[in-house]
Amino acid sequence: MLRLADDCFVLSHRLAEWSSRAPTLEEDVALTNIALDLLGQARRLYEHAARLDGTGRSEDEYVFMRDERDFVNCLLVEQENGDFATTIVRELLFSTYQLGLCGALRESADATLAAVAAKAHTEVTYHVSHARQWTVRLGDGTAESHIRTQTALDALWPYTHELFESDDVTPSLVADGVAAAPAALMPEWSASIGTVLAEATLERPETTWAPSGGRRGLHTERFGYMLAEMQHLHRAHPGARW
Amino acid sequence: MDGAALEREFKALIEADSRIEPRDWMPDEYRKTLVRQISQHAHSEIIGMQPEGNWITRAPSLRRKAILMAKVQDEAGHGLYLYCAAETLGVERAELIDLLNAGKQKYSSIFNYPTLTWADVGAIGWLVDGAAITNQIPLTRCSYGPYARAMVRVCKEESFHQRQGFELLYALSRGTPEQHAMAQDAVDRWWWPSVMMFGPPDGESVHTEQSMAWRIKRFSNDELRQRFVDMTVPQAEMLGLTLPDPQIRWNEDRGHYDFGECDWDELRRVIAGDGPCNRQRLAHHVQAHEEGAWVREAAAAHARKHAATASAAA
Ligand SMILES: [Fe+2]
Ligand SMILES: [Fe+2]
């Protein structure tokens, strides 16, 4: 639960960093839309997580009061925005995964989670189509955009392995019908990404490097800077209401 | 119809308080005035995303963060409607943006002040959006149809922003002593620049008279400024914050609040380009525009290829 909440939250934060910096006004609006959808999803998931872990923590406590080692988002979503191609490729890789996940979670035995997933599924469908359209435009646009997009793909691809990993908590959740088996989402993801890469004239990267650790709170160095910026004001006024 | 007859028809439409539409004949000067005003307004929406956007990554709660993101996004939307309205007058968004980037068109000087604390987000919503509404409500009855209609949509959202800003400051003002001080400091810094948003005093305003005759403008700068002060003073009391003008006092005879004189030299300095953030705001906009050039080129190249294949297939 917390994993998905953190994924949505961290990616939302990264996308929000684009505000007033996008290549066109329309894209400024579109990226913020996606960021707002993801933030909404994260908030609903934190609320549910607080009930499940029995702590009754507020959404703000999850986001502003946890340290790096407590965040369990995947490494892909915390990667920095880079150029527009990097942001689009990151969105493509993650939202395609998220779409499969939400599709599966709509059937979850946890009714609240199923409802959150169903609503998110509609939103993520749009995110996927936004990312696919841009991947094709950039991949099959100019020579420069093609190179930039292939470079982004090569850089981000290794981080996709982590999306489909299981650890000790996954099997029991899957057996209870609460969670989806990560590996089972892989074939559809791979096929879907395959068609868009072909249309975009991009090459699927070949790499054996498979960085991982986000789910155990082992993040990349830049993640700490993101949290420092995000958390400092909230933490500077303990107990204050905003 | 000859020129004189067209001119008479245009005048008759204006006097009947009808709307001028893009296909109607209009004097060149009317068109130029509108292009200048609408594009300046559009640029203000876009540059105005920066000062508040400056706090998106540091918003202290998720609720406030979502509100702020949506607000900054609304401003981008306002920019879009306004560029569209300008385009009905025969100019293109791309050329207007180039003029802005070249420093040849202006945007509201209020955005040349920095947002130094979180409370500035509230002060902008309350005061700057408040002043913007005061300016823009009469523009919903402006003689140029597309501009008037854009303003109707914009005003609805601006009043939402104003209430959210008020509510943000209210929470701070009733919060911890540090939060209260932060709110007061923000109001101290944003009050006078907001009062100056209505432009120079009536005697010095260059465009007012002609714009009023054309019913682009309905009220003078000083009338609008008074309206803003009258609306805002009681709200400051509700907030428990002090406006930094000791001369503010209810005037029974006038039925308005009296208030002090603005520092017009400062306004002139900021408009001329020497405010605290003029260089920074423009540089930010230019940089984003330049960094996005390859993306816009790629989209255009892709669309061309696509059109070529589609017509080859047909
Ligand atoms: Fe606006
Ligand atoms: Fe606004």
Side-chain angles (χ1 to χ4, degrees):
Chain A
M1 188 78 50
L2 207 49
R3 295 175 179 188
L4 182 55
D6 285 347
D7 283 351
C8 293
F9 174 73
V10 171
L11 185 56
S12 162
H13 187 90
R14 285 294 190 212
L15 289 172
E17 292 172 350
W18 270 100
S19 178
S20 82
R21 292 179 174 84
T24 64
L25 269 178
E26 286 81 353
E27 270 317 291
D28 218 297
V29 171
L31 291 173
T32 304
N33 256 334
I34 297 170
L36 280 167
D37 283 345
L38 288 166
L39 181 56
Q41 292 164 15
R43 294 175 71 183
R44 287 188 285 277
L45 288 165
Y46 285 129
E47 192 188 331
H48 190 43
R51 271 197 301 267
L52 292 183
D53 68 18
T55 58
R57 272 181 283 181
S58 70
E59 55 182 24
D60 288 341
E61 284 174 85
Y62 279 107
V63 166
F64 295 103
M65 299 309 289
R66 282 182 304 155
D67 291 329
E68 276 161 89
R69 295 285 281 109
D70 303 320
F71 275 81
V72 288
N73 55 279
C74 61
L75 301 178
L76 177 63
V77 293
E78 73 194 48
Q79 297 304 305
E80 288 180 287
N81 288 338
D83 63 4
F84 188 69
T86 307
T87 290
I88 289 297
V89 170
R90 184 186 61 196
E91 188 195 351
L92 176 76
L93 299 174
F94 181 76
S95 64
T96 305
Y97 155 79
Q98 198 194 357
L99 189 68
L101 181 63
C102 288
L105 289 178
R106 286 184 297 184
E107 317 293 322
S108 170
D110 176 335
T112 310
L113 180 56
V116 173
K119 183 173 188 318
H121 191 268
T122 319
E123 295 168 347
V124 178
T125 302
Y126 162 75
H127 305 172
V128 170
S129 93
H130 176 260
R132 289 176 79 95
Q133 283 172 21
W134 271 110
T135 303
V136 172
R137 271 185 213 130
L138 298 179
D140 187 22
T142 61
E144 179 181 6
S145 71
H146 179 84
I147 294 169
R148 283 178 183 263
T149 313
Q150 185 66 53
T151 307
L153 188 62
D154 294 344
L156 293 173
W157 191 265
Y159 294 101
T160 59
H161 297 286
E162 187 187 24
L163 300 173
F164 306 103
E165 279 174 2
S166 291
D167 58 25
D168 359 321
V169 298
T170 345
S172 72
L173 285 171
V174 173
D176 294 342
V178 172
L185 300 171
M186 173 67 154
E188 218 184 301
W189 178 86
S190 180
S192 169
I193 297 287
T195 56
V196 73
L197 294 189
E199 205 189 324
T201 70
L202 295 166
E203 304 238 341
R204 181 188 286 256
E206 296 293 336
T207 166
T208 49
W209 186 49
S212 144
R215 303 301 188 201
R216 284 171 287 129
L218 299 168
H219 294 279
T220 51
E221 285 181 348
R222 299 304 306 173
F223 186 58
Y225 292 85
M226 187 193 117
L227 291 191
E229 178 177 345
M230 181 188 89
Q231 294 178 332
H232 96 269
L233 175 61
H234 182 96
R235 290 190 180 199
H237 298 263
R241 294 155 61 97
W242 301 95
Chain B
M1 238 187 286
D2 60 11
L6 287 168
E7 178 106 44
R8 270 198 305 280
E9 197 176 309
F10 171 82
K11 273 204 171 129
L13 278 173
I14 296 278
E15 257 134 53
D17 245 340
S18 298
R19 297 272 171 277
I20 307 296
E21 294 300 331
R23 61 184 174 281
D24 294 336
W25 182 89
M26 59 189 89
D28 269 355
E29 277 306 308
Y30 177 81
R31 185 185 298 272
K32 265 193 221 151
T33 301
L34 278 168
V35 169
R36 194 191 56 237
Q37 182 170 340
I38 299 175
S39 47
Q40 179 168 334
H41 192 164
H43 299 330
S44 302
E45 301 286 354
I46 301 312
I47 299 292
M49 295 168 70
Q50 292 180 38
E52 285 183 281
N54 181 37
W55 281 93
I56 287 178
T57 55
R58 295 176 290 170
S61 76
L62 292 188
R63 188 173 81 87
R64 292 285 177 203
K65 183 175 184 174
I67 292 173
L68 180 57
M69 284 163 65
K71 183 196 169 178
V72 175
Q73 186 192 35
D74 284 347
E75 305 303 358
H78 298 171
L80 275 172
Y81 314 150
L82 285 160
Y83 285 126
C84 287
E87 285 184 336
T88 65
L89 292 160
V91 287
E92 275 185 42
R93 195 210 299 185
E95 52 181 298
L96 298 177
I97 288 179
D98 287 342
L99 287 170
L100 168 66
N101 286 346
K104 291 186 180 145
Q105 281 188 341
K106 298 209 176 303
Y107 55 88
S108 174
S109 60
I110 190 75
F111 300 119
N112 291 318
Y113 292 87
T115 48
L116 301 177
T117 73
W118 169 250
D120 290 30
V121 171
I124 291 185
W126 176 46
L127 296 173
V128 176
D129 286 82
I133 298 166
T134 311
N135 249 327
Q136 291 168 16
I137 285 176
L139 288 173
T140 61
R141 295 188 294 123
C142 148
S143 60
Y144 187 58
Y147 192 27
R149 287 189 289 274
M151 281 304 101
V152 173
R153 268 176 96 170
V154 167
C155 280
K156 268 190 212 141
E157 291 176 354
E158 300 297 12
S159 62
F160 213 62
H161 299 164
Q162 202 250 356
R163 256 176 299 159
Q164 287 166 338
F166 179 89
E167 205 244 325
L168 190 162
L169 286 180
Y170 191 87
L172 294 181
S173 183
R174 317 271 147 163
T176 65
E178 291 81 9
Q179 286 177 307
H180 180 89
M182 194 193 278
Q184 183 61 57
D185 169 60
V187 169
D188 288 345
R189 285 180 289 109
W190 286 93
W191 170 250
W192 284 112
S194 302
V195 176
M196 290 195 279
M197 274 175 74
F198 299 91
D202 290 352
E204 291 172 37
S205 177
V206 253
H207 305 300
T208 298
E209 212 172 308
Q210 181 61 77
S211 287
M212 303 246 300
W214 278 329
R215 310 223 172 151
I216 295 172
K217 229 174 134 77
R218 299 265 170 178
F219 301 99
S220 75
N221 293 355
D222 286 336
E223 284 170 322
L224 292 167
R225 196 180 340 268
Q226 181 70 59
R227 197 176 281 196
F228 171 69
V229 171
D230 289 347
M231 169 182 92
T232 309
V233 171
Q235 293 177 356
E237 282 162 18
M238 279 186 264
L239 283 172
L241 297 170
T242 314
L243 297 174
D245 177 357
Q247 295 186 52
I248 289 180
R249 191 167 299 109
W250 179 251
N251 184 324
E252 198 66 56
D253 301 333
R254 295 201 307 128
H256 291 291
Y257 284 95
D258 290 339
F259 56 98
E261 195 63 31
C262 300
D263 180 351
W264 300 115
D265 285 339
E266 173 177 324
L267 180 66
R268 273 186 285 272
R269 258 196 320 276
V270 179
I271 290 178
D274 288 339
C277 299
N278 299 57
R279 288 160 178 79
Q280 176 193 336
R281 299 285 184 243
L282 199 60
H284 177 114
H285 189 261
V286 169
Q287 189 187 349
H289 188 72
E290 285 172 357
E291 284 177 354
W294 70 270
V295 177
R296 296 189 298 274
E297 279 156 24
H302 179 76
R304 275 196 304 275
K305 279 189 212 175
H306 211 71
T309 11
S311 62

